[in-house]
C-alpha cells in the first residue's frame, strides 16, 4: 500500500510539474508571429523629441526609438531571426494606447507615463526614464513659480498625464487658469512665442528640448515640477512572455552599461542624469 501511495504521489508531482512546464513554455502569440514573419511593429510619437520624432529623412529617431531598436535586435537574436525587420507606425497622444491594445503595434516607443489607470488597458516594460511635469514660459514675463500662473492661458496636449496633474496642482494652491489644447509641442511653443498663450506645460525634459531648439533666451522653465512621470514602453496586457522579452532586453542594456551611450547621444545636451534617473537604472538592473 505504501508503495502504491508513493507511486501515486510521484505521479501527481510529475503531473503538476509537467503542467507548470507546459504553462511556462506556453507560446507567446506576439513572439510566434514575429518569428514567423521576421517583423516587429513599433508605434512612435512624432514631435516628442528627443525621445521620439520623425527626422528629415522620414525615419523615426530618438532615445525611446533607439531603445526599441535594441529591443528588436535582442528579440531577433533570441528567436534566431538574423535580419529582423522593424516597421514603424506613427501615433499621437490620444491613440497611442489603442494602437498597442488593438494589435496595430507590438509596443509603443515614446514618452508614455506608467499609470494604474492605463494598466486597465495596456501593460508596461520596466521604466526607461523618470521625469517631472513642468511649464515653459517667456523669460520677459518673469513667471517663476506655479502661483505666477494665476489667470494665465496655458497650452497643453490632451490625452497626456500633464493636463490632469497640472489641474490638480493648481487647484491645491487655488490658482485658476485657462487651458488651451494643442496637438504638438511645436504648436504649443509657437503659441507661446506669439503671445497667444502665457505658458506651455509638458514633461520637463521635453520642454528643455523645445527650449534648446529655439537657440535663444526667450523661453525658460519655471522652478517647480508638478508631477512624477516614469516613462516606459507600452505593451499589451495579454502577452506576458513578450513583455518579459522586452524587459530582458532593457535590463541587459542597464546592466551592461550600453544605456550610457544611448543617453549621451540623445539626452546629454539637456544635462547629466540626475540621482533619480541613476537610481532608476540601478534598481531595474534585475538579476536573471
Amino acid at each position: 500500500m505504501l508503495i502504491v501511495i508513493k507511486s501515486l504521489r510521484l505521479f501527481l508531482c510529475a503531473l503538476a510539474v509537467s503542467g507548470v512546464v507546459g504553462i511556462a513554455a506556453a507560446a507567446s502569440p506576439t513572439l510566434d508571429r514575429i518569428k514567423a514573419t521576421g517583423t516587429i511593429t513599433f508605434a512612435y510619437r512624432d514631435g516628442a523629441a528627443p525621445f521620439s520624432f520623425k527626422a528629415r529623412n522620414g525615419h523615426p529617431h530618438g532615445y525611446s526609438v533607439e531603445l526599441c531598436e535594441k529591443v528588436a535586435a535582442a528579440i531577433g537574436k533570441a528567436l534566431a531571426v538574423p535580419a529582423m525587420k522593424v516597421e514603424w507606425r506613427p501615433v499621437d497622444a490620444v491613440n497611442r494606447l489603442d494602437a498597442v491594445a488593438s494589435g496595430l503595434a507590438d509596443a509603443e516607443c515614446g514618452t508614455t507615463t506608467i499609470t494604474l489607470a492605463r494598466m486597465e488597458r495596456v501593460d508596461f516594460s520596466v521604466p526607461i526614464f523618470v521625469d517631472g511635469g513642468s511649464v515653459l514660459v517667456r523669460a520677459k514675463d518673469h513667471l517663476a513659480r506655479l502661483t505666477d500662473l494665476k489667470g494665465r492661458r496655458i497650452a497643453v496636449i490632451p490625452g497626456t498625464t500633464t493636463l490632469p496633474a497640472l489641474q490638480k496642482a493648481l487647484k491645491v494652491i487655488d490658482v485658476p487658469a485657462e487651458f488651451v489644447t494643442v496637438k504638438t509641442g511645436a504648436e504649443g511653443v509657437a503659441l507661446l512665442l506669439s503671445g497667444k498663450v502665457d505658458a506651455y506645460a509638458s514633461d520637463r525634459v521635453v520642454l528643455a528640448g523645445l527650449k534648446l531648439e529655439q537657440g535663444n533666451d526667450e523661453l525658460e522653465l519655471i522652478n517647480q515640477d508638478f508631477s512624477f512621470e516614469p516613462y516606459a514602453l507600452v505593451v499589451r496586457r495579454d502577452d506576458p512572455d513578450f513583455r518579459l522579452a522586452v524587459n530582458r532586453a532593457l535590463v541587459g542594456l542597464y546592466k551592461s552599461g550600453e544605456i550610457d551611450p544611448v543617453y549621451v547621444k540623445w539626452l546629454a545636451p539637456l544635462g547629466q542624469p540626475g540621482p533619480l534617473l541613476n537610481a532608476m537604472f540601478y534598481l531595474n538592473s534585475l538579476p536573471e
Side-chain angles (χ1 to χ4, degrees):
M1 177 65 74
L2 289 176
I3 294 176
V4 172
I5 293 175
K6 287 181 179 179
S7 299
L8 180 60
R9 285 176 177 171
L10 289 173
F11 171 75
L12 291 174
C13 287
L15 186 62
V17 169
S18 66
V20 171
V21 171
I23 293 172
S28 157
T30 307
L31 293 176
D32 284 348
R33 177 176 44 74
I34 291 170
K35 184 174 178 62
T37 63
T39 302
I40 188 168
T41 303
F42 292 130
Y44 77 99
R45 281 184 63 194
D46 187 18
F51 289 86
S52 61
F53 61 96
K54 184 183 290 186
R56 283 178 293 179
N57 62 8
H59 296 298
H61 287 285
Y63 174 83
S64 301
V65 168
E66 185 164 341
L67 289 184
C68 277
E69 290 172 341
K70 291 186 178 297
V71 165
I75 291 177
K77 182 177 180 180
L79 296 178
V81 178
M84 175 73 78
K85 181 182 177 182
V86 178
E87 292 186 349
W88 294 97
R89 182 180 296 275
V91 293
D92 57 31
V94 176
N95 65 16
R96 54 184 164 173
L97 300 185
D98 291 334
V100 176
S102 66
L104 292 176
D106 298 316
E108 187 260 348
C109 319
T111 57
T112 302
T113 299
I114 303 170
T115 71
L116 295 175
R118 286 172 173 170
M119 286 182 183
E120 296 176 358
R121 300 173 56 199
V122 295
D123 210 339
F124 295 91
S125 69
V126 295
I128 61 170
F129 192 79
V130 178
D131 199 12
S134 189
V135 180
L136 196 63
V137 296
R138 292 183 296 270
K140 65 180 183 181
D141 292 338
H142 304 292
L143 305 176
R145 304 184 66 80
L146 290 177
T147 51
D148 296 330
L149 299 176
K150 188 172 184 178
R152 302 283 184 165
R153 289 167 56 85
I154 306 171
V156 66
I157 298 175
T160 65
T161 56
T162 300
L163 179 56
L166 182 54
Q167 287 175 323
K168 182 178 180 180
L170 293 181
K171 183 178 181 180
V172 167
I173 59 176
D174 192 25
V175 175
E178 180 182 350
F179 292 95
V180 178
T181 59
V182 294
K183 293 182 178 180
T184 66
E187 183 183 349
V189 170
L191 291 179
L192 178 58
L193 290 172
S194 67
K196 294 180 179 178
V197 298
D198 304 295
Y200 171 60
S202 185
D203 296 343
R204 177 170 286 273
V205 70
V206 174
L207 296 177
L210 292 169
K211 180 180 182 300
L212 191 66
E213 287 178 7
Q214 292 304 309
N216 55 48
D217 296 326
E218 287 187 66
L219 302 176
E220 63 182 14
L221 286 157
I222 67 169
N223 297 325
Q224 288 178 285
D225 288 348
F226 56 80
S227 66
F228 168 63
E229 308 287 344
Y231 295 172
L233 306 183
V234 183
V235 296
R236 283 191 294 280
R237 294 185 70 197
D238 57 358
D239 199 335
D241 288 338
F242 177 70
R243 181 187 62 206
L244 176 59
V246 171
N247 283 340
R248 272 207 169 99
L250 292 173
V251 170
L253 296 175
Y254 301 166
K255 292 169 71 173
S256 67
E258 291 180 73
I259 189 65
D260 294 338
V262 179
Y263 180 94
V264 169
K265 179 178 179 180
W266 298 107
L267 301 174
L270 306 180
Q272 293 297 315
L276 190 61
L277 184 59
N278 279 323
M280 187 214 78
F281 288 136
Y282 178 77
L283 292 173
N284 284 285
S285 295
L286 305 173
E288 181 58 47

